[in-house]
Amino acid sequence: MDAVPLLRISRPHRLSEEVGAVLEKHIRSGEFGPGEKLPAEARLAEQFAVSRAVVREAIARLKADGLLESRQGSGVYVAQCLGAGVFRMAAGVRGEAHPIEDIFELRLIIEVAAAERAALRRTPADVEAIEAALARMDEAVALSADGVRADDDFHCAIASASGNPLIGRFVAFVSHEFSASRAPTWSREGIVRGLAGAAQDEHRAVHAAIVAGDPAAARRAARQHLLRAARRLGVVLAAPPGARGEDMDEETS
Amino acid sequence: MDAVPLLRISRPHRLSEEVGAVLEKHIRSGEFGPGEKLPAEARLAEQFAVSRAVVREAIARLKADGLLESRQGSGVYVAQCLGAGVFRMAAGVRGEAHPIEDIFELRLIIEVAAAERAALRRTPADVEAIEAALARMDEAVALSADGVRADDDFHCAIASASGNPLIGRFVAFVSHEFSASRAPTWSREGIVRGLAGAAQDEHRAVHAAIVAGDPAAARRAARQHLLRAARRLGVVLAAPPGARGEDMDEETS
DNA sequence: TTATATTTGTCCGTATGTATA
DNA sequence: CTATACATACGGACAAATATA
């Protein structure tokens, strides 16, 4: 019976998010330069016509994003280096998403390198985790169940086996951004059409190379898996590097 | 005149940060599973012996980090995928920093690939930006001034020339985390000792390869620059991949 | 469908510790 | 040292959305 909530233009849902978005815009546009002091919370509150609690929550988010710093008794200041220490897929909170090709290329770069290093440094525990994910995907294929989660875990386990926690965490980060697009492979139709089975064959090749401790084979297997996964998804990678065999890295210094 | 506030949680500086750190620990340890509902704000407030505003600010930070979601009238819930969309160098706010070797290895992986793609896809504007940074570093060497910023910009310009905005933004992110450790090269002693000059020679090699459109040469030059930069900093990379020439990527399918 | 309780979102007022002039 | 400005923290209160009976 209430009137339609159309008139709340600047109020999608969260007031603090609105304030935060406006402040972020002002900061990124340089209106508030690095190191510069923001107006007092009370000032901002009356300027935005909201309470100080709302302003404080907006500031809390921007502090978490590394855009602001607050010093008690002094004020709130813009960070010298915006967003240091934080990397977001979508630049702004409401930023546009990156095209799937770009995400895929980044995955290719980092995961191929991760597989190579996993072949060199894997521990028995790493191999165990990789094989556990592999087994769960086998189950998923047999039962026509969802194997996206296990697929994610497989790639993350390999990255973790690289021995570099940063690589492990970054692959986990990128992998999740990608997992939605990986769903078709594990849909019932995907499994019936043999997409999941093909992916499993490629997974096994990567696993074998890592267990064998062959970094070159691990690179090839990981690369082939990702390229074929791209084809299964209909993703065309711009100017596939290495296509003409120029992906050699080192001439022994 | 009041009694000492000993019974509170440890109170180094920010109360909301303390609460946020404790909550984050509980979430990441799985004590609060994905999708699970947290106790009400009022409940948490009395449990931590703080006001609700403090709890709300802590929750605001965790929401910004993608660990929590709040629904008005319902409650606060743990995100299904923790930290989706956000990558931090230091996992928690109080998390330990990653060793310089790990950061360096990730840089090596991503920047070598970026240089290769820059050689394939660079635009005239990209080349302009790269050369501008190069010129500013020349100035810095001549004047014994600080060239860290220009050095940062050089690497970021190359990554941007890769044509993949994701790579550009990620290199900018990693590069900044690293720039502090790069300072010695551009200190007055570093310049006098010729460290900066050596780095410039390597920079020029990368630039030449990119301008020439030679991806393999770009890879080699970028790799050599980063490896030598590591040696200048005294960083030893564990099991340098490609040292035995096994970094080939593709056998043309 | 209606009514009620719960919970988050928002606002106000106040007190305290800190930094700065 | 004093005074002012400010962030931090506390408590109470109501509105709005949700969940439940």
Side-chain angles (χ1 to χ4, degrees), chain B residues 99-121:
Chain B
I100 185 74
E101 293 83 7
D102 288 350
I103 299 179
F104 215 107
E105 182 173 59
L106 186 57
R107 254 191 95 195
L108 190 67
I109 293 170
I110 192 76
E111 292 200 33
V112 167
E116 174 187 41
R117 282 151 181 82
L120 292 169
R121 309 177 190 158

Side-chain angles (χ1 to χ4, degrees), chain A residues 179-205:
Chain A
S179 71
S181 305
R182 187 159 43 195
T185 300
W186 292 100
S187 67
R188 234 171 289 274
E189 305 104 39
I191 295 178
V192 172
R193 285 179 50 211
L195 299 186
Q200 266 298 71
D201 290 340
E202 298 158 20
H203 288 154
R204 257 184 281 272

Side-chain angles (χ1 to χ4, degrees), chain B residues 172-189:
Chain B
F173 167 67
V174 175
S175 195
H176 174 268
E177 293 297 312
F178 193 79
S179 70
S181 305
R182 188 159 41 194
T185 300
W186 292 100
S187 68
R188 235 172 288 273
E189 307 103 38

Side-chain angles (χ1 to χ4, degrees), chain A residues 128 130 147 200 222 247:
Chain A
E128 241 179 88
I130 293 172
Q200 266 298 71
D247 217 350

Side-chain angles (χ1 to χ4, degrees), chain B:
Chain B
M1 56 180 70
D2 259 85
V4 284
L6 273 194
L7 37 98
R8 315 264 191 175
I9 320 171
S10 64
R11 184 172 208 170
H13 278 3
R14 299 274 204 300
L15 213 44
S16 62
E17 286 185 9
E18 288 298 309
V19 174
V22 172
L23 286 178
E24 182 171 358
K25 204 128 206 166
H26 287 206
I27 292 169
R28 292 200 185 274
S29 74
E31 191 161 344
F32 293 138
E36 194 169 335
K37 184 174 150 187
L38 258 60
E41 292 177 351
R43 220 69 77 184
L44 290 172
E46 84 180 48
Q47 179 172 342
F48 284 112
V50 298
S51 71
R52 197 158 81 97
V54 171
V55 173
R56 281 188 63 80
E57 285 207 22
I59 291 176
R61 208 247 325 159
L62 295 171
K63 282 196 293 185
D65 282 6
L67 295 177
L68 293 178
E69 295 171 5
S70 61
R71 292 194 284 274
Q72 182 172 344
S74 178
V76 179
Y77 298 83
V78 179
Q80 302 78 352
C81 187
L82 299 186
V86 180
F87 182 74
R88 311 187 79 98
M89 268 298 173
V93 171
R94 309 225 173 284
E96 70 294 341
H98 291 274
I100 185 74
E101 293 83 7
D102 288 350
I103 299 179
F104 215 107
E105 182 173 59
L106 186 57
R107 254 191 95 195
L108 190 67
I109 293 170
I110 192 76
E111 292 200 33
V112 167
E116 174 187 41
R117 282 151 181 82
L120 292 169
R121 309 177 190 158
R122 78 273 183 255
T123 68
D126 291 328
V127 175
E128 241 179 87
I130 293 172
E131 291 174 347
L134 214 48
R136 283 196 299 152
M137 283 190 286
D138 276 332
E139 274 184 49
V141 172
L143 278 62
S144 288
D146 188 10
V148 171
R149 187 63 173 273
D151 201 341
D152 274 350
D153 292 344
F154 177 77
H155 288 89
C156 291
I158 290 176
S160 181
S162 71
N164 186 334
L166 248 187
I167 294 177
R169 293 212 2 256
F170 186 67
V171 167
F173 167 67
V174 175
S175 195
H176 174 268
E177 293 297 312
F178 193 79
S179 70
S181 305
R182 188 159 41 194
T185 300
W186 292 100
S187 68
R188 235 172 288 273
E189 307 103 38
I191 295 178
V192 172
R193 287 178 49 209
L195 299 185
Q200 266 299 71
D201 289 341
E202 297 158 19
H203 287 155
R204 256 184 283 272
V206 178
H207 163 258
I210 290 176
V211 170
D214 185 341
R219 275 190 84 96
R220 280 195 305 271
R223 182 177 196 85
Q224 204 164 74
H225 169 50
L226 289 169
L227 288 177
R228 292 187 177 173
R231 293 185 65 181
R232 281 193 289 272
L233 295 175
V235 175
V236 285
L237 297 182
R244 298 204 315 270
E246 75 278 74
D247 218 348
M248 179 179 50
D249 239 351
E250 172 82 350
E251 78 294 13
T252 0
S253 172

Side-chain angles (χ1 to χ4, degrees), chain A residues 12-225:
Chain A
H13 272 8
R14 298 278 197 300
L15 214 43
S16 62
E17 287 185 8
E18 286 299 307
V19 174
V22 172
L23 286 178
E24 181 172 358
K25 204 129 204 163
H26 286 205
I27 293 170
R28 293 200 185 274
S29 73
E31 191 161 343
F32 292 139
E36 194 170 334
K37 184 176 148 185
L38 258 61
E41 290 178 352
R43 222 65 84 179
L44 290 173
E46 81 180 51
Q47 179 173 342
F48 284 110
V50 297
S51 72
R52 279 188 54 209
V54 171
V55 173
R56 280 187 65 79
E57 286 207 20
I59 290 176
R61 196 212 25 119
L62 294 171
K63 284 196 293 185
D65 282 8
L67 295 177
L68 293 178
E69 295 172 6
S70 62
R71 290 195 286 274
Q72 183 174 346
S74 178
V76 178
Y77 299 83
V78 179
Q80 301 78 353
C81 188
L82 299 187
V86 180
F87 182 75
R88 314 188 80 99
M89 269 298 174
V93 173
R94 311 225 173 282
E96 70 294 343
H98 291 274
I100 185 74
E101 291 84 6
D102 288 350
I103 299 178
F104 214 107
E105 181 174 60
L106 187 57
R107 254 192 95 195
L108 191 67
I109 292 170
I110 192 72
E111 292 200 34
V112 167
E116 173 188 40
R117 282 152 181 81
L120 292 168
R121 309 177 189 157
R122 79 274 183 257
T123 68
D126 291 329
V127 175
E128 241 179 88
I130 293 172
E131 292 174 345
L134 215 47
R136 283 197 298 152
M137 283 190 287
D138 277 331
E139 275 185 48
V141 172
L143 278 63
S144 288
D146 188 10
V148 171
R149 187 62 173 274
D151 201 342
D152 274 350
D153 292 344
F154 177 77
H155 289 88
C156 291
I158 290 176
S160 180
S162 71
N164 186 335
L166 249 187
I167 294 178
R169 294 214 358 257
F170 187 66
V171 167
F173 168 67
V174 176
S175 195
H176 174 267
E177 291 298 313
F178 192 81
S179 71
S181 305
R182 187 159 43 195
T185 300
W186 292 100
S187 67
R188 234 171 289 274
E189 305 104 39
I191 295 178
V192 172
R193 285 179 50 211
L195 299 186
Q200 266 298 71
D201 290 340
E202 298 158 20
H203 288 154
R204 257 184 281 272
V206 179
H207 163 258
I210 291 175
V211 171
D214 185 341
R219 275 189 84 95
R220 280 196 305 271
R223 181 176 197 83
Q224 205 165 74
H225 169 50

